[in-house]
Amino acid sequence: MAGFTDATGSRSAGGPLQVEAHGLDVIRDSERKGTPRTLFWPWFGANVSILGLSYGAFALGFGISFWQALVAGVIGIVFSFLLCGFVAVAGKRGSAPTMVLGRAAYGVRGSRLPAVISWMLTVGWETVLTALATMATAAVFERLGHGGGTGTQVVALIVVGALTVVGGVMGFDLIMRLQTVITVVTGVLTVVYIGLVADHIHWHTVSAVPAGSAQEFIGALVFMMTGFGLGWVNAAADYSRYLPRSSSGRGVIGWTTFGASVAPLLLLVFGLLLAGSSDDLSKAVALDPIGALTTILPTWFLVPFAVVAVLGLVGGAVLDIYSSGLALLSAGLRVPRYLAALVDGVLMMAGSVYIVFFADDFLGQFIGFLTTLGVPVAAWCGVMLADLAMRRRDYDEGDLFRRRGRYGDVPLQPLLLTVVATALGWGLVTNSAAGWLEWQGYFLGPFGLGGRDGDWAYANLGVLVALTLGFLGTLAFGVGRVKAQERLDPSPAAGAEAVRA
């Protein structure tokens, strides 16, 4: 390890990796390092998963054509990760975790509501990714003739879970180094995979897939947004917070968006071509998004496929468990960061056991999970981005941790706006495949959109409405509050008691 240059651009001293001591505190100037382009590594590594191929089948499942799915995917992926780029700017301006920086908009204790939502989303994502990695490993072993049943699944789950938890517990430095390795290995092996299965593409079959309605196109677009950028936006500042504050804001936005988008875009195109060429493959992906992709591989590449599948999914899960631990601390749990990550790891393993051994319909539950939590996250994102856009000064470090500081304790306006936007959004989405979500869509009838069985039922307009309402509502009603905050003189640095707020 001597002389190793990590992904942040800093040189290690050659000593062993240590558990990160930072939790919700602001990163000191002496510890800030790297340049905006180093953000490429964690974002690319977290999104270069083979799962991106499966999104081709997911998109076509909305009943749209190849070209409609491609346009929906490009817009949904790039736009949603652009939102991540904007939130990442808050990280370099405030050098604190995303949910701590959100206190400027929501107040010190008021921010606990979005922190709980963020925690649920990240724990859910890390659970899904861990379960998929387990299922993929079992599928590979089954094709190799060495089992693939319960015993293989248990071992795979333990190994994948251990990798994820260790990364989350160790923290930032290990994650940045790990993501560099994942980027290179998965990038190369994914290209090999594409080359091996390219002969399964039949353009005449793909081009013959009929076009869908505008409502179905919008539904696919929103699904892409919630499946990609809106699943990360609540953690986007957790990695840019280590950058020097003098770093280029445009660079932060650009490298975050580019690093996160480039792999999903390429994988989506190929996934659409594969799924559009075979109805059987497309249907199989709905049941086992990763394992189904092994059925078209030569036997000799199954082990490398398992490596690329597991590493790609672990890359995303590690970032999720790290951010979920920070969100749990922001929600009010008073333990060290590594213990919060460990708690989330236990929940992740329990949820993975349910998905792997008991759940029957993966895709229906997955879409329901993404859409349901995507609505409040979109509302939070709108509020956060509008608040950030109105600020002309960096965040006041001390007052981010003081209930009586300039940001307040529990301001009602942003909280009410988020609740209203979420309630309206849930009334405009449906998830018929997930029985526990049949209560949604209650505004589709009153608003003249055809009810829960109408043409707009699966357009999932609620996500877009929540994002727009959160953004415009904050611009309309929050400008005076922000100006009043920025007229105040800087406060003293936060003390130990304030940090625990």
Side-chain angles (χ1 to χ4, degrees), residues 185-390:
V185 175
T186 55
V188 171
L189 291 179
T190 299
V191 171
V192 175
Y193 174 90
I194 290 174
L196 290 173
V197 301
D199 60 344
H200 289 269
I201 295 174
H202 307 292
W203 175 247
H204 63 280
T205 304
V206 176
S207 59
V209 176
S213 65
Q215 294 92 331
E216 290 167 330
F217 171 82
I218 294 173
L221 170 64
V222 174
F223 176 72
M224 288 295 174
M225 290 177 58
T226 55
F228 287 99
L230 284 181
W232 287 110
V233 69
N234 53 307
D238 293 350
Y239 306 94
S240 56
R241 67 181 174 137
Y242 277 88
L243 292 175
R245 295 196 189 186
S246 59
S247 300
S248 166
R250 291 183 179 180
V252 170
I253 296 171
W255 282 105
T256 298
T257 307
F258 175 67
S261 299
V262 62
L265 287 173
L266 296 174
L267 291 169
L268 172 68
V269 172
F270 200 76
L272 287 171
L273 292 172
L274 283 176
S277 300
S278 171
D279 286 338
D280 291 339
L281 177 63
S282 187
K283 292 176 182 177
V285 166
L287 298 175
D288 186 357
I290 306 297
L293 299 174
T294 68
T295 60
I296 55 177
L297 276 175
T299 303
W300 67 266
F301 192 72
L302 288 175
V303 172
F305 175 85
V307 172
V308 68
V310 170
L311 283 181
L313 295 167
V314 167
V318 166
L319 261 67
D320 275 317
I321 196 170
Y322 178 76
S323 291
S324 69
L326 293 174
L328 188 57
L329 296 180
S330 300
L333 183 66
R334 296 188 176 185
V335 298
R337 183 205 58 80
Y338 63 87
L339 284 182
L342 194 59
V343 169
D344 289 346
V346 173
L347 295 175
M348 175 192 75
M349 294 296 286
S352 299
V353 167
Y354 170 76
I355 294 175
V356 173
F357 298 105
F358 300 103
D360 295 323
D361 176 18
F362 172 82
L363 182 58
Q365 305 299 323
F366 183 50
I367 292 177
F369 162 73
L370 288 181
T371 306
T372 300
L373 288 184
V375 170
V377 168
W380 170 87
C381 182
V383 172
M384 181 74 177
L385 290 177
D387 181 84
L388 179 63
M390 291 186 292

Side-chain angles (χ1 to χ4, degrees), residues 426-473:
W426 279 339
L428 296 173
V429 300
T430 58
N431 291 282
S432 60
W436 54 285
L437 296 174
E438 291 180 354
W439 54 271
Q440 295 176 348
Y442 42 81
F443 283 138
L444 290 170
F447 285 5
L449 297 174
R452 291 186 173 94
D453 299 318
D455 292 338
W456 289 97
Y458 302 104
N460 290 325
L461 289 175
V463 176
L464 299 177
V465 169
L467 176 66
T468 303
L469 183 58
F471 185 80
L472 295 180

Side-chain angles (χ1 to χ4, degrees), residues 88-275:
V89 172
K92 76 98 179 178
R93 290 179 62 178
S95 300
T98 311
M99 288 298 122
V100 171
L101 298 173
R103 293 176 178 180
Y106 283 91
V108 174
R109 286 194 297 174
S111 65
R112 291 181 178 179
L113 174 62
V116 169
I117 296 171
S118 175
W119 174 73
M120 293 172 62
L121 181 62
T122 46
V123 169
W125 262 114
E126 69 202 42
T127 300
V128 167
L129 296 176
T130 300
L132 286 176
T134 301
M135 293 162 66
T137 304
V140 167
F141 275 88
E142 183 175 9
R143 277 211 59 198
L144 288 172
H146 298 296
T150 302
T152 303
Q153 292 173 329
V154 169
V155 174
L157 179 57
I158 292 173
V159 173
V160 172
L163 288 173
T164 303
V165 172
V166 168
V169 168
M170 291 297 293
F172 181 83
D173 283 337
L174 177 59
I175 289 173
M176 294 297 280
R177 298 182 187 187
L178 180 64
Q179 295 298 71
T180 305
V181 175
I182 289 175
T183 295
V184 175
V185 175
T186 55
V188 171
L189 291 179
T190 299
V191 171
V192 175
Y193 174 90
I194 290 174
L196 290 173
V197 301
D199 60 344
H200 289 269
I201 295 174
H202 307 292
W203 175 247
H204 63 280
T205 304
V206 176
S207 59
V209 176
S213 65
Q215 294 92 331
E216 290 167 330
F217 171 82
I218 294 173
L221 170 64
V222 174
F223 176 72
M224 288 295 174
M225 290 177 58
T226 55
F228 287 99
L230 284 181
W232 287 110
V233 69
N234 53 307
D238 293 350
Y239 306 94
S240 56
R241 67 181 174 137
Y242 277 88
L243 292 175
R245 295 196 189 186
S246 59
S247 300
S248 166
R250 291 183 179 180
V252 170
I253 296 171
W255 282 105
T256 298
T257 307
F258 175 67
S261 299
V262 62
L265 287 173
L266 296 174
L267 291 169
L268 172 68
V269 172
F270 200 76
L272 287 171
L273 292 172
L274 283 176

